[in-house]
Amino acid sequence: MLDISDVCGFADYFVICSADSGRQMDAICQDMDKELTGEGATLFHREGTIDSGWVLLDFGDVIIHVFSPLQREYYRLDQMWEKATPVVRIQ
């Protein structure tokens, strides 16, 4: 999770994660949506597909990116937002 509030104006946090299969990607997206909406967050927009290898869940101040390993390596959002402050990193 990256705190991007000091480097952009459209969100406060990016959550960037990888899923090793389409089934895992779908499960992550469903669980994130269920848990966050259960806490009162609103899913404003969902973009991408499991087949594309990148799904974006836009909860306003928190944007979640779920990547296949290949797409995560290709887009390298971690490096693109290197000026952001890391909040949590799990490997």
Side-chain angles (χ1 to χ4, degrees), residues 6-90:
D6 289 337
V7 293
C8 82
F10 60 85
D12 291 332
Y13 296 97
F14 271 177
V15 175
I16 304 170
C17 63
S18 300
D20 292 325
S21 69
R23 178 173 275 173
Q24 186 180 37
M25 184 179 286
D26 187 47
I28 290 169
C29 291
Q30 285 185 28
D31 196 49
M32 292 278 201
D33 186 15
K34 179 182 173 186
E35 291 298 319
L36 289 172
T37 55
E39 292 293 323
T42 301
L43 178 61
F44 294 106
H45 185 72
R46 179 182 173 137
E47 180 126 0
T49 63
I50 304 302
D51 293 336
S52 74
W54 183 4
V55 176
L56 178 143
L57 303 172
D58 181 355
F59 286 91
D61 291 336
V62 178
I63 299 176
I64 300 168
H65 301 270
V66 185
F67 286 103
S68 69
L70 183 64
Q71 294 297 342
R72 185 166 179 175
E73 177 62 29
Y74 179 79
Y75 286 103
R76 299 178 183 209
L77 286 188
D78 307 76
Q79 289 85 16
M80 184 182 297
W81 291 92
E82 67 185 353
K83 291 185 180 179
T85 304
V87 176
V88 175
R89 183 173 186 93
I90 301 170

